[in-house]
Amino acid sequence: MSRAPLRVAVLGAGAVGLAVIRAFQDASDRLAPDDGAPLSLVGVAVRDLERARGRGVPSELLTDAPAHLVASPGVDAIAELMGGDEPARTLIAAALAASKPVVTANKHVVAHHGPELEAISRRTGAPFRFESAVGAGIPVLGPLASELAASRVAAVRGIVNGTTNHILTAMASAGRPYAAALAEAQTAGYAEADPSGDVDGDDAVNKLVILVRLAFGVWLVPSSVERRPPTVAGTGRPGIGGVTVDELKAAAAVGLTVKLLASSRRLDDGAVAATVLPTALPSDSPLGRTGGVDNRVEIDADPVGRVAFMGPGAGGPATASAVLGDLLAVARGAAGTWAGLPPAIGPAIDAAPDPVDPRRFFASTLPEQLVRDQVEIETARGGGFIAAAQPLDELRAGLAAAGIDATLYPIAE
């Protein structure tokens, strides 16, 4: 017995939206599950109709009025791929309020308006799915909410931004200055014309907020997640903007590399510590070896131990894969991304500061002997050093006494 199709409207035809639309055009056989309704594309909302036509989107599907598609009785489900805050948030909320399932790759909206949208979704019973918002094509949110639901998660960490990882990899492996590596990422389509959301760590913060929601049952206030690494005199630039080629060379000399690491863990008092910081990692560790646009997310839980998810974390096709997977899940009657997890506890809360102190740090500074005279170090080579585990305040005081200022990169094992 044939099933009525699930009629889908796509909002946005950028890199991800266009890849989704092309899947409907070229691979429709894979969008008709045996255990669910076949997917049917019935509308596409864009700002520039002529440009969309020129990119192969059929004229009969196009409109420049996304709200009309959301309200249309001829649309069963919405794929929001516009990005940004508004009007995306309003459109998602309106669709969920009308009991229409929503699939989105918009990590900003999910992270900043998660409590509101989750409440609407649970009230109306409309599935809200956002697998593609973290890790692009890597299936990590589904397993975290479903297959790992019986385990108590203690910590989640990972490289979750492909743009910054691509830049740091180019700087470390080819010695390219930051500006040149950024320009290369922009040319390759991995970085936006305004790259601040990626390089300043905002994108990674949004993804960490989403991971924390599924791992620990709370929404975090994104602005409360620390993005600035410590320096001797205070704090550095957010994200990777302050990382230099010389620092990466010095890190390599002592067996380390620097990555933008999103980290969270459950504290004994129930609070959640969360940071997104440029962090020194052993070069031969799984995270240290994760290069280019690849992402890697590691989850520590009891009784399963550590599990990891790795794959392409940027690009339209990879993200579209997860969007289409979520649409197929809706067609099969699946619930929201949180699956059977209970509702989040209360409104969004502030992230707790990372309480690890004392800890080891890496820094790049000269002269080596002056550093040795002021602080306890484990290794010094190639212009860089690893400070032995000690309170941050003591390390700062010792280096300040030597007249040294430098970025202090926390070392994660």
Side-chain angles (χ1 to χ4, degrees), residues 16 80-81 103-108 110 129-130 132-134 319 323:
V16 178
E80 186 282 304
L81 305 174
V103 170
T104 184
N106 193 331
K107 74 280 295 185
H108 172 89
V110 178
R129 299 190 64 88
F130 40 88
S132 54
V134 178
T319 307
V323 171

Side-chain angles (χ1 to χ4, degrees), residues 106-195:
N106 193 331
K107 74 280 295 185
H108 172 89
V109 162
V110 178
H112 286 75
H113 304 288
E116 171 200 1
L117 297 175
E118 178 176 354
I120 298 172
S121 171
R122 290 186 180 277
R123 174 172 55 81
T124 64
F128 183 37
R129 299 190 64 88
F130 40 88
E131 179 66 59
S132 54
V134 178
I138 308 169
V140 59
L141 300 184
L144 181 56
S146 298
E147 284 78 10
L148 295 175
S151 291
R152 177 178 171 81
V153 178
V156 179
R157 68 176 187 171
I159 296 166
V160 296
N161 182 271
T163 299
T164 53
N165 207 44
H166 178 87
I167 292 170
L168 291 174
T169 300
M171 292 173 66
S173 62
R176 292 187 180 88
Y178 171 79
L182 171 58
E184 179 187 77
Q186 290 171 319
T187 300
Y190 295 131
E192 302 289 342
D194 176 5

Side-chain angles (χ1 to χ4, degrees), residues 18 37 52 72 96 111 115 132 176 187 195-196 207 213 216 233 297 305 309 314 316 342 353 361 402 406:
L18 194 61
S72 171
L96 293 172
S132 54
R176 292 187 180 88
T187 300
S196 58
K207 293 170 180 175
R213 159 62 190 97
F216 304 122
V297 176
F309 303 84
F361 287 90

